[in-house]
Amino acid sequence: LVGAPFAGQLSDKFGRKPIIIWASILFTAGAIWQTFAGMISPSFGWTSIILGRCLGGVGNGFILTIMPVYAAELSPSKYR
């Protein structure tokens, strides 16, 4: 709900492939953040997991919005 509304405008401005790459980086960063959430400070663990999920969710929103359009552009016109 946060990344998806902006995905179309940003992909039109910067291109679909760079936005997909940056969205994948955000999604991966969120997953890594969640993996190491409680290691630095156990009292901050649950808050850190939520922040990591939010970061990954923004990346996921971008990917779920842009990938179908990008896949349609790549497919041959006779299969569209």
Side-chain angles (χ1 to χ4, degrees), residues 5-58:
F6 305 107
Q9 294 172 348
L10 289 175
S11 68
D12 288 341
K13 185 174 182 179
F14 298 110
R16 304 209 197 297
K17 195 171 183 180
I19 297 299
I20 289 170
I21 291 170
W22 278 107
S24 299
I25 291 170
L26 281 176
F27 185 73
T28 304
I32 292 171
W33 191 338
Q34 292 173 65
T35 302
F36 298 111
M39 291 188 166
I40 295 174
S41 172
S43 63
F44 186 63
W46 285 109
T47 305
S48 188
I49 287 175
I50 292 171
L51 291 173
R53 289 200 48 97
C54 289
L55 185 65
V58 169

Side-chain angles (χ1 to χ4, degrees), residues 16-17 20 65-75:
R16 304 209 197 297
K17 195 171 183 180
I20 289 170
T65 304
I66 297 172
M67 251 339 268
V69 177
Y70 187 64
E73 289 174 352
L74 290 178
S75 65

